[in-house]
């Protein structure tokens, strides 16, 4: 055998070995060390031991061996990633992402691919059991450039009764027994029901992090375009909720930041339907709904407190619209605001509109905690900004090409100088002017 052929065979053997999942029988229980996940094969194999404690120890992406088999567009017969945990076989363990990223995760399904357990999906499908508290935690998970799509079969399909969909970047459905903390998600999630034909009615809860949330979701930063499309709006108005962070919230969403575009029958920048608590959060999303549209929640019958919105909100087929809340069913909104200069003439009886200058002053935000132990930071001085979350790292002012800009940042320049962006240093105006025009 030639040396080159020997090396190629050795490389193939090494690649094949790396693609094999580890044995989880001696880890992750009680006082044992967590089971370490360092390959796509390991991540996939978590479904064989749903009650273990896991820790990610490396980045996973399209360049990682095993991607085509487990997580890429051609994986599993073309449907991509298979979520961990389904109804009656839920994930009830813990997963620590360790700050490493899981990138390029792909899900592409049609209704004909699904069975009665497959309508709930994300990285995890169904998480936790309702009758047990304190089961586990999903923490420090970073999902980059996800691409999840669900569509009807263009050739048509036979469906009877009510179709229920729960879809989120991290998890489709999370019970209160498992917490989720320190989550980052970017990419796209799309449900397209345009080719369903004479379809049944749909229940749909779609969110950038979690589709249907119970229990705690704390510290999430989301830059996901989330959408639900249909050419038959009559089947959707009361039962399809799309949120930048959570589709339907029956738990506590706190310290959430939402960017990207959010669109659906009922849509909100943070939650599609808030049925419990949304606290200390902000959205700078573009929100579009067919029926009920709000910068924070499309519909609310819970509590919204210490939150703000800066972005456009529109409604297309008539319904309720608000700078913060679309339809206010019941509940309360306290100490919450929106930027009138960005949102425009839209108002909201449930909150307070501020001009751009007031949005950049801490004293405008009554009852907000800007202390070193509180959830909020604000720039005041040489730079001014909207409030932003202490839980995440943002680029410093004057960073030339910021990747995570402080929201609403403006440089305060002396007379006779200007800054092209909040992150650009002040420079002299054109001769004879006080502007850059």
């Amino acid at each position: 055998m030639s040396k080159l052929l020997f090396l190629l065979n050795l490389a193939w053997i090494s690649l094949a070995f790396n693609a094999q999942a580890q044995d989880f029988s001696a880890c992750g229980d009680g006082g044992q060390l967590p089971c370490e996940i360092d390959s796509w094969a390991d991540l996939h194999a978590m479904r064989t031991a749903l009650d273990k404690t896991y820790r990610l120890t490396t980045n996973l992406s399209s360049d990682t061996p095993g991607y085509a088999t487990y997580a890429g567009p051609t994986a599993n017969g073309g449907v991509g990633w298979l979520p961990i945990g389904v109804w009656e076989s839920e994930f009830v363990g813990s997963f620590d992402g360790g700050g490493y990223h899981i990138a390029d995760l792909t899900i592409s399904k049609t209704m004909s691919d699904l069975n009665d357990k497959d309508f709930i999906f994300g990285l995890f499908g169904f998480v936790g059991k309702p009758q047990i508290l304190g089961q586990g935690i999903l923490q420090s998970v970073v999902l980059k450039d996800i691409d999840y799509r669900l569509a009807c079969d263009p050739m048509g399909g036979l469906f009877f009764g009510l179709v229920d969909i729960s879809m989120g970047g991290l998890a489709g459905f999370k019970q209160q027994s498992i917490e989720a903390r320190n989550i980052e998600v970017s990419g796209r999630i799309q449900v397209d029901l345009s080719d369903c034909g004479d379809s049944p009615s749909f229940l749909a809860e779609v969110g950038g992090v979690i589709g249907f949330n119970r229990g705690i979701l704390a510290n999430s930063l989301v830059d996901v375009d989330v959408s639900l499309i249909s050419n038959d709006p009559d089947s959707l108005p009361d039962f399809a909720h799309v949120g930048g962070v959570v589709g339907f919230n029956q738990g506590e969403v706190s310290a959430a930041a939402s960017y990207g575009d959010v669109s659906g029958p009922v849509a909100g920048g943070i939650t599609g339907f808030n049925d419990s608590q949304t606290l200390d959060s902000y959205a700078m999303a573009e929100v579009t709904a067919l029926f009920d549209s709000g910068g924070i929640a499309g519909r609310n019958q819970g509590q919204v407190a210490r939150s703000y919105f800066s972005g456009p909100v529109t409604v297309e087929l008539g319904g309720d619209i608000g700078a913060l809340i679309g339809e206010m069913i019941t509940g309360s909104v306290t100490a919450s605001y929106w930027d009138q200069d960005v949102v425009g003439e839209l108002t909201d009886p449930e909150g307070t509109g501020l001009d751009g200058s007031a949005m950049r002053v801490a004293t405008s935000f009554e009852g907000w905690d800007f202390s070193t132990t509180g959830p909020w930071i604000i720039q005041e001085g040489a730079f001014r900004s909207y409030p932003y979350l202490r839980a995440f790292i943002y680029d410093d002012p004057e960073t030339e090409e910021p990747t995570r800009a402080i929201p609403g940042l403006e440089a305060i320049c002396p007379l006779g100088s200007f800054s092209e962006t909040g992150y650009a240093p002040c420079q002299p105006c054109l001769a004879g002017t006080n502007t850059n025009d």
Side-chain angles (χ1 to χ4, degrees):
M1 180 183 295
S2 71
K3 183 177 181 180
L4 177 60
L5 184 58
F6 172 79
L7 291 174
L8 288 174
N9 283 336
L10 186 62
W12 183 88
I13 292 170
S14 175
L15 185 63
F17 176 79
N18 288 335
Q20 297 299 311
Q22 298 181 40
D23 179 5
F24 295 145
S25 62
C27 62
D29 291 324
Q32 295 178 348
L33 293 175
C35 300
E36 294 188 349
I37 304 299
D38 61 10
S39 69
W40 285 112
D42 287 346
L43 193 69
H44 175 83
M46 285 171 55
R47 72 196 66 246
T48 66
L50 294 167
D51 60 348
K52 298 275 190 173
T53 297
Y54 296 94
R55 181 176 60 205
L56 186 66
T57 60
T58 188
N59 294 324
L60 300 178
S61 71
S62 58
D63 295 327
T64 306
Y67 174 74
T69 302
Y70 299 109
T74 60
N76 298 301
V79 301
W81 175 254
L82 300 178
I84 301 166
V86 297
W87 174 252
E88 295 183 338
S89 293
E90 299 90 344
F91 180 80
V92 293
S94 291
F95 180 76
D96 183 350
Y100 294 101
H101 67 246
I102 299 171
D104 310 315
L105 196 67
T106 298
I107 297 174
S108 181
K109 293 188 177 184
T110 65
M111 291 294 183
S112 58
D113 296 321
L114 304 178
N115 57 45
D116 60 350
K117 294 183 179 180
D118 285 333
F119 291 108
I120 298 172
F121 57 95
L123 170 64
F124 295 87
F126 207 108
V127 176
K129 292 183 180 295
Q131 69 272 27
I132 303 173
L133 296 179
Q135 279 180 312
I137 187 170
L138 309 177
Q139 64 181 342
S140 303
V141 181
V142 180
L143 295 169
K144 293 178 61 176
D145 300 324
I146 64 170
D147 190 358
Y148 298 175
R149 304 184 200 184
L150 173 63
C152 290
D153 190 332
M155 300 302 292
L158 297 176
F159 301 99
F160 302 96
L162 190 66
V163 175
D164 191 355
I165 300 166
S166 295
M167 191 170 175
L170 177 68
F173 195 113
K174 186 184 78 65
Q175 291 282 17
Q176 63 267 33
S177 56
I178 292 186
E179 297 182 5
R181 294 181 178 274
N182 304 323
I183 310 298
E184 299 181 42
V185 188
S186 67
R188 174 175 65 172
I189 299 175
Q190 182 185 78
V191 178
D192 187 349
L193 306 180
S194 298
D195 292 321
C196 287
D198 295 330
S199 63
S201 295
F202 287 91
L203 295 175
E205 318 299 346
V206 186
V209 179
I210 297 172
F212 197 111
N213 177 64
R214 290 175 175 158
I216 291 174
L217 171 60
N219 304 340
S220 56
L221 194 149
V222 192
D223 189 359
V224 179
D225 291 340
V226 190
S227 63
L228 191 154
I229 304 168
S230 174
N231 57 7
D232 183 16
D234 290 339
S235 68
L236 298 176
D238 293 324
F239 308 109
H241 309 101
V242 181
V245 179
V246 169
F248 196 105
N249 178 46
Q250 283 189 336
E252 179 186 300
V253 176
S254 63
S258 172
Y259 301 82
D261 297 337
V262 182
S263 61
V266 176
I270 302 292
T271 60
F273 194 120
N274 180 52
D275 193 31
S276 188
Q277 292 183 308
T278 299
L279 311 173
D280 294 298
S281 298
Y282 73 86
M284 300 185 71
E286 181 174 339
V287 183
T288 304
L290 296 177
F291 303 100
D292 295 325
S293 185
I296 298 297
R299 288 178 178 163
N300 182 69
Q301 58 181 24
Q303 178 189 9
V304 174
R306 301 177 304 277
S307 298
Y308 76 83
F309 176 72
S310 179
V313 184
T314 57
V315 64
E316 295 181 348
L317 296 182
D320 294 314
I321 183 172
L324 298 179
I325 308 298
E327 181 183 4
M328 186 69 177
I329 300 171
T330 186
S332 64
V333 176
T334 57
S336 295
Y337 307 89
W338 72 91
D339 188 333
Q340 294 172 318
D341 295 344
V342 177
V343 177
E345 297 180 358
L346 193 61
T347 61
D348 196 318
E350 309 304 332
T352 303
L354 302 174
D355 64 28
S357 295
M359 285 286 294
R360 294 169 171 87
V361 179
T363 54
S364 299
F365 298 89
E366 183 180 353
W368 289 37
D369 188 353
F370 292 99
S371 71
T372 56
T373 58
W376 293 105
I377 305 174
I378 194 168
Q379 293 285 326
E380 292 184 308
F383 295 87
R384 301 183 306 172
S385 74
Y386 296 158
Y388 57 103
L389 297 174
R390 190 176 300 278
F392 298 97
I393 297 174
Y394 296 76
D395 293 303
D396 291 332
E398 296 190 294
T399 301
E400 290 188 6
E401 296 182 3
T403 58
R404 183 177 293 163
I406 294 171
L409 189 70
E410 289 184 346
I412 307 303
C413 296
L415 186 66
S417 63
F418 75 100
S419 172
E420 291 183 352
T421 69
Y423 280 91
C426 299
Q427 56 183 298
C429 299
L430 297 176
T433 74
N434 279 322
T435 72
N436 62 322
D437 184 5

